[in-house]
Amino acid sequence: MPETLTTSPAAARSSSEAAAGPGPRRRRLSEFAPRLQTISTKAFVSSIGLIVLAAAWQILPSAHIVDPAFITPLSQVISTWWHMLQDGSLWSNTSTSLLRAAIGFFAAVIVGVPLGLVIGANRRAEDLLSPVLELFRNTAPLALLPVFILILGIGQVTKFVFVGYACLFPILLNTIAAVRTVDPLLVKAARVFGYSQLRIFQKVVLPASVPQIFTGIRLAASYALLVLIAAEYIGANSGLGFLIDNSEQNFQTPMMYAAIITMSLIGVLINFDLLRIERRLSTWRTA
Amino acid sequence: MSTEAKLHIDHVTKTFQARGAGQSLVAVQDVNLEIQDGEFLVIVGPSGCGKSTLLDILSGLTLPSSGEVLIDGKPITGPGPDRGIVFQQYALLPWRTAAENLEFGLEATGVAKTERRERALEHLELVGLADFADSYPHQLSGGMKQRVAIARSLATDPELLIMDEPFGALDALTRDALQTQLRAIWKRTGKTIVFVTHGIDEAVYLGQRVAVMSARPGRIKALVDIPAWDDAEAAEVRADPEFGRSSQVVWEQLRDEIATSQGFSATRPEPGRAGARRVGRTRELEEAGSVA
């Protein structure tokens, strides 16, 4: 873009627009039309996959190409889902699961972020802990579920602790990495201005780390539901995982699929929201 | 030694312990310089001659192995608000707007909030960016970012402005424009400036004196007095025959040193200039970190 050295407001403003990209200026309708078209084309293309999946799910079992006892036609799943929504069984199990996941997840955030900041800021602590962390990170949390049950039994606490444990690693590792990868030049500039180490941490390291810390938090949120469902397979009498497992064992396949769909929708919804927040937090990272 | 010098660099030597090899590396050797109040001094030298080390010593990020640096007669023992630095890579906080970046420097010195804003806007005006106070760095061009960085360093009203190849990352036209603007700012504010560059043209245009550094170990090889140019743009000044003569003098001083430093990289199969420089920088950064 042209470099303007003039201080005249008109020239400055025009170059502002060039630099800042599409700002809040008014657009004519003719500019919107092609844009709208691209959006609808894009929406169509990205929904093809879902449409095909839904159609196959409906047609294949109905036509007895696959056994409808194992794969219930989509229409039947949806009507079961609606029924479960109305009799309250869906919500009670969903809310139970969400509460468990939330408790474990928030515990992991409360522990993981400060711990990661301390470890990341302290080279010796990182040297000391990183082999241990690496070992745990590469051990699938589900492999440790029996250990948790062995020690804590099959009560609520096990589920909180287990979810918290699984969520801890993405948060911890991303926070450590965020602190470690802060641009050293920014730290140098802050030192030149005479900032103390503590204030550099507060004014430079912390804000610079926010986007990646949030990436860890988003990953943890999706982990939370994932591992909770598995934990509920093994030892629970409520929750979505229980519902899926229990329906399967009682040959109530439509209920099983209804529960699975519910879980998927919640996962998509949470991830979508968190992605949006993450993008907002890291606008300055682009370019 | 004259007492009225703003900055007095007295027999400064800096030695680094090269890691692993067990041998030490002399980055800067016995540098002596006196810079007067309001002077514009430019340092030129071949890559890896210890310019950055010298600037780190001036800024207080690293301490000399021997010798000392006095500013207004007081020895430099660490970073301080009496010195401002402009880096080649701007070093703006990307999550802060231009005005907030200027305030960042002022927050360190404990200036009250309303006054911070005032001084930030005032200095953005000085570099012609008053309309961009609320823009984020990623919305600005390279030249604009560097002007914000210059304004940020000036906002804290330092005694000494240190500039480390500030225009090195800019395209030629932008660089010209910023050189002209920097000269105007210097005349207006009367700041003492130490400016490091690779460019002989840039050095001769901006500096009242040009200090030529030798290849490693870095020493001041020559001090070249530059005539005062009229208030004209960089391109016009360059057409002046006197400009050509001064450039020639600096070039002749520099030529052998460049040959020496390149001979180094020919005998040792090192990466290119940029690679070698980065290695040097990293070591200096780590060294600086261990001092703090």
Side-chain angles (χ1 to χ4, degrees), chain A residues 1 3-5 7 9 12 15-16 19-20 184-186 188-193 195 197 199 203-204 207-208 283-284 286-287, chain B residues 56 61 79-80 85 87 89 91-95 104-105 107-108 128 131-132 138-139 141 143 147 152 174 177 181 285 288 292:
Chain A
M1 63 156 282
E3 172 65 33
T4 46
L5 278 154
T7 49
S15 87
S16 146
L185 187 62
L186 295 182
K188 193 176 177 181
R191 285 182 59 203
V192 168
F193 280 121
Y195 279 106
Q197 296 286 11
R199 290 194 72 204
K203 296 249 181 196
V204 179
T283 38
W284 54 263
T286 57
Chain B
D56 280 351
L61 290 175
I85 302 204
F87 299 96
Q89 295 301 333
L92 298 176
L93 304 178
W95 57 89
F104 177 68
E107 283 161 29
D131 288 333
F132 294 90
H138 70 90
Q139 298 172 315
S141 70
R147 280 147 71 195
R152 181 174 69 175
T174 308
Q181 197 182 20
L285 265 181

Side-chain angles (χ1 to χ4, degrees), chain B residues 189-208:
Chain B
T189 59
K191 290 286 173 208
T192 313
I193 301 181
V194 174
F195 187 107
V196 161
T197 180
H198 277 126
I200 294 173
D201 277 6
E202 186 166 77
V204 173
Y205 173 66
L206 289 172
Q208 292 176 301

